Amino acid sequence: MVTTHGPDDSAEASYDPMRQFAELAGDVRDPYPMFAGIRADTPVMEVHFGAGFGGRYQRDEKAPPITSLFTVTSHALAQQVLTDNVRFSSAASAMTTGLVMGRTILGMDPPEHQRHRALVAKAFRARVLDQWSDTIIGATISELIDAFAGDGRADLIPQLTFPFPVRVIARILGLPEADWPRFLRLSTELIAVMRNWDRAVAAGHELRGYFAEIIADRRRHPHDDLVSQLIEAEVDGHRLSDDEIYPFLLLILPAGAETTYRSSSNLLFGLLSDPSQLAAVQADRGLVPQAIEEALRWETPALTVVRTATQDVELGGVHIPAGGFVAVSLGAANRDPRRYAEPDAFDIFRADKQHISFGDGAHRCLGMHLARLEMRVLLNAVLDRLPGLRLDPAVDDVHIHGLIFRSPPNLPVLFGPA
Ligand code: HEM
């Protein structure tokens, strides 16, 4: 039997995950002019730091100190880095979040990466997603909208987009509902690793203990959930050990919950800020998929992924030494004018709908089909159940912010007859 109450249940009552997330995003309203300025100057910019950069995140004492990083802002070069695992290694992620979560596929290089990814990918195949569509994703959205549909007003961030993906993940993992508040708190603390290291490490330990009980339970009594599927997944006679399953379970919290909450919020913000595009999608639901792709391009939820050069590399005319730290700005790449006409405009009818928000190459997001499905179910439910949806005119300064992650902190709306 799985424990349903943690040692510090009192912490749930006073903890405000929304504030934690708002602080984490950073209060930068519009980083795009800065990206455009850098890109116009050079597609790869070396940023120098003092010898102490990396600080507590650089725990590998044998590694040379990080004193600079190379920021990539062009779309073509971002793709080049992400699709070249030989010259650009993903091991850099082990220096940051990897230290909290343990070894995950995010920080692995080929051939280890392919082997490991093939095993966990089994739990995300199309047949499984179809199964989750109504039972988990549809049910979760309905219960959240039920709670405010009669009120005529809501703040769609705390009442809808924020709780939605964590609840979906809690259900996909098969966690008992009584555990959700604790799970939400621990997930948020883990994700906020760059803000509060010690709290994230403690949350990682607690979650690991919690997952250990769940895994032990599912080994005895398999359920129809992700944990059971991870236990049973087999490729070439190899199965995942418990020590390989824990880090993956920890990874899908930041990878799957935070990104999807922000991307859904940005989609709603884009449409609510342009009532003609909102009306077009309302009238023709066939436009929902392209609205989703455009929102992902226009406001990239997670702006940067990191790599390290495995050898001396020439990139965009800039020399990167072996061991150089490379920050690929997905946000800047998605607004590159050499790739997109009028890149700053939110335009669901644009011709080039491909974006790089899910990354590229071997590490391309494993959960992208789930994320798209969640966004589609959410937008359709909002359009079906909240007629006349519009921004609340009494609240001004509704905006998107953030430099590491981006999304609106609030989305106050009215609905019902205008
Ligand atoms: C809109 C939502 C999402 C965005 C923008 C996003 C973005 C990304 C990006 C950029 C990467 C590549 C990182 C790199 O190359 O270093 C990635 C990888 C990954 N994502 Fe997502 N993600 C989203 C949703 C999800 C969901 C819902 C899940 C699962 C529940 C998920 C699970 C993963 C995993 C496991 C990886 C690692 C893949 C690998 O290393 O092979 N993501 N994601």
Side-chain angles (χ1 to χ4, degrees), residues 44-114:
V44 179
M45 184 176 79
E46 182 171 7
V47 184
H48 291 275
F49 302 99
F53 176 73
R56 65 188 322 167
Y57 304 113
Q58 193 176 359
R59 294 284 170 103
D60 181 354
E61 280 157 19
K62 280 180 252 137
I66 302 167
T67 53
S68 70
L69 69 77
F70 295 83
T71 300
V72 179
T73 51
S74 99
H75 193 282
L77 293 181
Q79 271 185 319
Q80 195 177 315
V81 172
L82 296 182
T83 53
D84 182 349
N85 308 114
V86 176
R87 294 190 306 162
F88 298 101
S89 159
S90 285
S93 91
M95 290 192 304
T96 54
T97 46
L99 290 168
V100 178
M101 291 173 213
R103 250 181 97 53
T104 72
I105 53 171
L106 207 54
M108 292 177 190
D109 289 318
E112 183 190 21
H113 174 257
Q114 282 112 310

Side-chain angles (χ1 to χ4, degrees), residues 82 90 105-107 113 117 124 169 248 251-252 255-257 259-260 263 296 301-302 305-307 330 356-360 362-368 370-371 374-375:
L82 296 182
S90 285
I105 53 171
L106 207 54
H113 174 257
R117 181 165 163 134
F124 283 88
I169 289 181
F248 184 71
L251 169 65
I252 62 172
T259 48
T260 311
S263 63
L296 282 163
V305 296
V306 290
R307 297 289 187 265
L330 305 178
I356 199 165
S357 294
F358 289 124
D360 206 343
H363 288 272
R364 190 146 194 242
C365 180
L366 186 65
M368 66 183 176
L370 173 61
E374 288 183 75
M375 290 172 76

Side-chain angles (χ1 to χ4, degrees), residues 257-332:
E258 168 153 35
T259 48
T260 311
Y261 129 65
R262 295 194 188 276
S263 63
S264 306
S265 308
N266 295 342
L267 170 66
L268 293 174
F269 177 87
L271 291 172
L272 284 162
S273 306
D274 185 342
S276 67
Q277 296 196 65
L278 177 62
V281 178
Q282 175 75 273
D284 177 3
R285 299 302 176 84
L287 298 174
V288 166
Q290 68 197 63
I292 290 172
E293 298 312 305
E294 173 61 353
L296 282 163
R297 181 203 67 83
W298 178 60
E299 280 295 1
T300 313
L303 279 93
T304 311
V305 296
V306 290
R307 297 289 187 265
T308 33
T310 56
Q311 51 190 263
D312 286 3
V313 183
E314 201 72 10
L315 190 74
V318 174
H319 176 76
I320 302 179
F325 206 56
V326 181
V328 178
S329 175
L330 305 178

